Amino acid sequence: MLKMNNIKKVFRTDLVETHALRDFSLQVEEKEFVAVTGPSGSGKTTFLNITGMLETFDGGVYELDNEDVSKLNDKQRSRLRNEKIGFIFQSFNLIPDLNLFDNVDVPLRYRGFNAKERKQRIENALERVGLSARLKHLPSQLSGGQQQRVAIARALAGDPRFLLADEPTGNLDSLMARQVMQLLEEINQQGTTIIMVTHDSELARRAHRNIHIVDGQVSDYQDLQPVLDVAEA
Amino acid sequence: MFQYYLKLSWLSIKRTPMLSALMVIAIGLGISVSITVLTVDYLMSKDPLPGKSHKLFHVQLDTYNKGNTDSAPGGLPYQLTYQDLMNLSRSEIPSKQSRSLRSGFSVIPEKVGLTPFSRSARVIDNDFFEMFKVPFLFGSPWEDEVNNKAKKVVVIAKRLNDKLFDGENSVGKTINLDKQLFTIVGVIDTWEPTPRFYDVNNGAFSDTEQLFIPFSLIPVLELPSWGSNNAWKSEVFESYEDKLRSETMWLQYWVQLDTKAKQEEYREFLAGYVEQQRPLGRFEKEDAKTDIKDVVQWMENNRVVSDDNSVLVGLSFMFLAVCMLNTIALLLAKYLKRAPEVGVRRALGASKLEIFTQHIVDVGLIGLAGGALGLLLGQLGLLGVKSLYANYERLVNMDLTLIATAIGLAIGASIIAGLYPAWLICRTNPSIYLKTQ
């Protein structure tokens, strides 16, 4: 369902060429929860941006649900992103002058849903993250944890197949981080595939699979599910 | 989506009130200057009789002798001699015609409390009213026979009727003009063609006359000309008759020619008339020209819209361009500030085209506000023109076309100004901002 083969990404300036990803290959199956770790500058975020079609790549093949992404134009990529991918960011990236309802509404607008369906989806999504009573609040009136839950609601409102999370707990204290992680796990259990970039090894261990990136390449590949199964037992 | 984009634009304006206000002011200033100059230019040059102006023709003959040429554009004099006018008016080719002179009278009111005053008069044939679509409030033009058989009848303007008769129907009453009683046969409603196309060479932006009397009265009352007189020949007038027989050009002549065939026939008629007059010692030039010009051509020929005005229009649009350049800079500042939000929208599924459209709607809304401000400032500008140039008084009113033009110009110019900033912002790599917000 998500397949990358020998992806290359090079950032160029007049003087320097930086290879962000080199022959990067990965396959993610449906309903997986994959944690991506690695040192700063290793290429984690570049990988996530390419996965979310926010960045183009310089070589290799990337297929999302059997569609060759490199052959799509901007409109098709945007459509695919809107329908199949939800984003969660470290700094939440809520739009400050839109209330919660309108923030969650953003991806639904681009999907072209009618007003009634949008309203239904927004209310459901905010209820799912426990914020249905704060539809008219502005992001600035919420705590960091609450803002991240709104961002999750926004990402989920369109029922995406994939959730891409870039350090989703990076700006949260440990209590809120645990709550957000718990929410992500619930979402994954309900069938959404999650790819999460994190520096936090504890969080990474809670994923099904841990991919470690160093210098733009997958350096380690660890299936953690058996470990977690033992821990749960 | 358009409504959604409008909502986002409104939020964006609220978020950046200073930048937005500066843009609205910049656009408003540019539009106000442009629309002020454009209003004057448009009203000066617009077709005063749409649908009919192409059928009405002003007649010109080159009566100058060899070696003399009129200084008017094309070398043809603006006006005609009395003898030519009388000869030409016998033609039955035009469906309607009107000889014309600007003269004037002292009006001696009967109404208590009013002192005598002078008023200019248009001395014409009765076809004048129908040819130029003059609206009547009371009564009608004089009978056809009065065109040839002088009779002291008069049509007065509403303004004069209000002054002398308090706006009542004065048809049948008399009015004392230069101590002679004229019977009022009609009162015309407000009629202020701007420019005064039927006599542009005697002040295209002067007021319309308030008295209209039959042309046949000219020799009877020996009416003076209150307009321009042109002559190439040194002639001494010992009597009014001498003036009527002279080569002095002091009268205008309009004919209505409804079809191309009639127009062609009339041109041939004029050429034939010149040949007929040559044996009498007139029209000495071998290539003595004749011409007929319709209303719009006549206004162009007389440069109703001066070259200075065209230069002013050009300058005003240059000023608008400078204002729009400033707007581009402000838009760039505003949109680059908003780039992180664009990054989020792109991540959530907006295409480049949708981001571009959103920003174009945004500049369109700012342009609309700028246009509204420009209209307000433009009205002030027109009041300034009015106070400076009394003759332009009627030119300073914007009609719906001009208001729509101002708004359209503001939105159009804003969208053009917004193309580059919107294009730049929609091409921005969203991933740069998603990490740094």
Side-chain angles (χ1 to χ4, degrees):
Chain A
M1 62 173 312
L2 187 157
K3 198 171 164 187
M4 287 183 175
N5 270 330
N6 300 319
I7 294 290
K8 288 176 191 149
K9 178 67 185 178
V10 183
F11 291 106
R12 292 184 177 86
T13 65
D14 290 342
L15 300 172
V16 185
E17 270 194 0
T18 307
H19 291 261
L21 293 180
R22 311 160 187 257
D23 295 327
F24 187 96
S25 297
L26 178 71
Q27 189 162 336
V28 177
E29 300 301 330
E30 198 166 348
K31 298 179 184 174
E32 264 198 293
F33 192 148
V34 178
V36 181
T37 57
S40 293
S42 59
K44 302 185 298 292
T45 299
T46 303
F47 155 70
L48 206 66
N49 286 336
I50 289 174
T51 306
M53 293 172 282
L54 294 173
E55 289 264 16
T56 55
F57 47 94
D58 303 306
V61 177
Y62 169 26
E63 285 180 8
L64 185 69
D65 275 354
N66 298 321
E67 279 207 74
D68 186 346
V69 168
S70 64
K71 289 182 178 160
L72 303 179
N73 61 28
D74 176 72
K75 191 179 173 188
Q76 292 166 322
R77 279 201 305 274
S78 301
R79 183 79 189 165
L80 195 63
R81 182 163 59 237
N82 181 267
E83 287 177 1
K84 298 199 171 177
I85 295 174
F87 274 100
I88 305 169
F89 307 97
Q90 180 179 355
S91 50
F92 325 131
N93 284 345
L94 297 176
I95 298 171
D97 46 4
L98 297 184
N99 61 31
L100 304 197
F101 185 97
D102 288 338
N103 259 291
V104 179
D105 189 30
V106 172
L108 306 180
R109 288 278 184 171
Y110 295 117
R111 184 80 76 89
F113 288 134
N114 62 37
K116 190 180 169 190
E117 176 149 17
R118 289 201 319 270
K119 185 170 182 287
Q120 186 69 49
R121 281 173 176 265
I122 294 164
E123 286 171 355
N124 287 347
L126 284 170
E127 194 173 338
R128 204 167 163 186
V129 299
L131 288 168
S132 56
R134 303 200 172 190
L135 294 176
K136 297 296 172 191
H137 283 61
L138 289 171
S140 57
Q141 295 169 306
L142 303 179
S143 69
Q146 287 171 324
Q147 288 191 45
Q148 192 59 297
R149 276 152 60 193
V150 177
I152 292 171
R154 182 177 67 183
L156 293 177
D159 284 334
R161 303 264 304 274
F162 295 89
L163 204 56
L164 305 184
D166 191 358
E167 305 273 11
T169 58
N171 281 8
L172 304 177
D173 61 35
S174 57
L175 177 65
M176 285 187 177
R178 274 202 299 279
Q179 287 175 352
V180 166
M181 190 60 198
Q182 200 172 354
L183 187 56
L184 289 177
E185 284 169 338
E186 283 171 23
I187 291 162
N188 174 246
Q189 281 160 16
Q190 285 160 14
T192 307
T193 307
I194 298 181
I195 301 173
M196 176 180 72
V197 166
T198 182
H199 273 112
D200 189 328
S201 56
E202 190 192 333
L203 291 183
R205 285 186 63 253
R206 291 169 69 168
H208 301 163
R209 195 150 51 113
N210 191 351
I211 296 162
H212 194 67
I213 301 177
V214 177
D215 292 337
Q217 288 181 307
V218 177
S219 76
D220 194 9
Y221 209 105
Q222 191 181 5
D223 189 345
L224 294 170
Q225 195 58 47
V227 179
L228 293 175
D229 289 345
V230 170
E232 280 169 13
Chain B
M1 282 303 271
F2 182 72
Q3 270 185 316
Y4 183 56
Y5 293 150
L6 279 180
K7 178 183 169 179
L8 294 180
S9 299
W10 176 240
L11 285 172
S12 155
I13 288 169
K14 283 205 307 189
R15 196 196 306 170
T16 53
M18 277 307 290
L19 269 179
S20 302
L22 281 173
M23 281 187 276
V24 169
I25 290 169
I27 296 167
L29 279 176
I31 290 297
S32 66
V33 171
S34 304
I35 206 66
T36 302
V37 177
L38 212 57
T39 299
V40 175
D41 187 74
Y42 164 76
L43 292 173
M44 275 181 172
S45 58
K46 77 169 182 179
D47 185 347
L49 280 176
K52 189 157 191 192
S53 60
H54 63 289
K55 293 180 183 173
L56 302 179
F57 293 86
H58 190 272
V59 181
Q60 287 180 284
L61 300 174
D62 186 3
T63 52
Y64 278 63
N65 66 339
K66 272 183 188 168
N68 277 322
T69 302
D70 196 275
S71 59
L76 278 168
Y78 292 116
Q79 302 187 102
L80 298 176
T81 64
Y82 183 80
Q83 54 181 316
D84 286 327
L85 197 53
M86 296 307 287
N87 292 335
L88 294 179
S89 64
R90 291 190 190 100
S91 166
E92 291 182 354
I93 300 171
S95 58
K96 296 192 182 304
Q97 57 175 313
S98 180
R99 302 164 292 184
S100 177
L101 167 70
R102 184 166 186 261
S103 187
F105 292 92
S106 289
V107 181
I108 304 160
E110 286 179 13
K111 192 174 168 183
V112 178
L114 281 183
T115 52
F117 53 90
S118 66
R119 284 291 178 271
S120 60
R122 180 61 41 185
V123 188
I124 46 174
D125 292 316
N126 64 347
D127 279 350
F128 178 92
F129 300 101
E130 197 177 330
M131 286 169 77
F132 297 125
K133 294 185 174 176
V134 183
F136 269 79
L137 194 61
F138 304 118
S140 62
W142 49 83
E143 301 295 322
D144 287 345
E145 62 180 31
V146 179
N147 289 336
N148 299 317
K149 194 176 172 188
K151 193 173 173 185
K152 288 178 190 162
V153 290
V154 63
V155 169
I156 64 173
K158 181 177 182 296
R159 250 190 307 166
L160 188 60
N161 189 59
D162 289 345
K163 183 168 185 167
L164 297 177
F165 303 103
D166 298 325
E168 287 180 6
N169 185 352
S170 58
V171 172
K173 293 182 179 173
T174 56
I175 180 172
N176 189 333
L177 304 175
D178 282 352
K179 298 178 187 171
Q180 298 178 82
L181 289 180
F182 283 69
T183 304
I184 298 169
V185 294
V187 179
I188 64 166
D189 208 344
T190 304
W191 185 63
E192 298 288 355
T194 306
R196 204 179 56 159
F197 57 93
Y198 59 84
D199 188 9
V200 289
N201 52 312
N202 280 319
F205 301 103
S206 302
D207 286 341
T208 308
E209 294 81 3
Q210 293 184 42
L211 297 162
F212 299 85
I213 65 164
F215 191 87
S216 52
L217 284 170
I218 285 182
V220 178
L221 301 179
E222 299 188 351
L223 293 174
S225 168
W226 278 30
S228 56
N229 293 269
N230 308 91
W232 54 271
K233 194 174 183 181
S234 180
E235 295 172 298
V236 178
F237 305 147
E238 290 179 353
S239 66
Y240 196 79
E241 278 291 317
D242 288 346
K243 184 175 181 181
L244 296 183
R245 279 194 297 267
S246 73
E247 292 294 343
T248 300
M249 293 159 282
W250 53 300
L251 302 156
Q252 299 113 40
Y253 185 39
W254 285 92
V255 291
Q256 182 170 328
L257 302 164
D258 297 314
T259 62
K260 289 274 177 201
K262 282 283 179 191
Q263 291 156 24
E264 201 47 48
E265 187 184 351
Y266 198 75
R267 285 180 195 280
E268 286 171 17
F269 161 73
L270 289 178
Y273 173 73
V274 169
E275 292 308 316
Q276 185 201 41
Q277 290 290 305
R278 286 190 197 278
L280 303 175
R282 305 185 69 225
F283 296 95
E284 288 180 10
K285 289 181 187 170
E286 286 172 13
D287 59 342
K289 292 179 200 162
T290 64
D291 198 10
I292 52 173
K293 292 187 177 77
D294 69 23
V295 173
V296 174
Q297 290 168 335
W298 184 236
M299 285 176 22
E300 286 170 1
N301 184 72
N302 285 273
R303 295 217 169 91
V304 171
V305 182
S306 69
D307 292 343
D308 289 355
N309 226 65
S310 303
V311 170
L312 266 182
V313 171
L315 285 174
S316 72
F317 276 93
M318 281 171 69
F319 179 69
L320 177 63
V322 170
C323 291
M324 296 323 291
L325 279 175
N326 278 299
T327 305
I328 290 174
L330 293 167
L331 279 172
L332 279 172
K334 178 177 169 170
Y335 288 172
L336 290 177
K337 194 176 165 189
R338 200 200 279 178
E341 183 190 320
V342 170
V344 174
R345 288 187 177 278
R346 293 278 285 136
L348 297 177
S351 65
K352 285 180 184 174
L353 181 64
E354 283 167 321
I355 296 294
F356 182 81
T357 311
Q358 177 195 328
H359 287 83
I360 289 299
V361 171
D362 189 54
V363 289
L365 191 67
I366 289 169
L368 181 68
L373 178 67
L375 276 175
L376 282 175
L377 295 175
Q379 290 291 354
L380 292 178
L382 289 174
L383 286 176
V385 172
K386 189 191 260 187
S387 67
L388 284 174
Y389 306 102
N391 283 348
Y392 284 11
E393 192 170 345
R394 285 192 305 278
L395 288 177
V396 299
N397 298 312
M398 282 189 203
D399 60 13
L400 275 177
T401 309
L402 280 162
I403 290 170
T405 303
I407 297 293
L409 189 63
I411 294 175
S414 303
I415 287 175
I416 290 170
L419 285 176
Y420 176 65
W423 177 74
L424 199 68
I425 199 74
C426 82
R427 285 181 68 244
T428 305
N429 183 351
S431 59
I432 298 170
Y433 299 101
L434 297 174
K435 196 78 177 172
T436 56
Q437 240 196 64

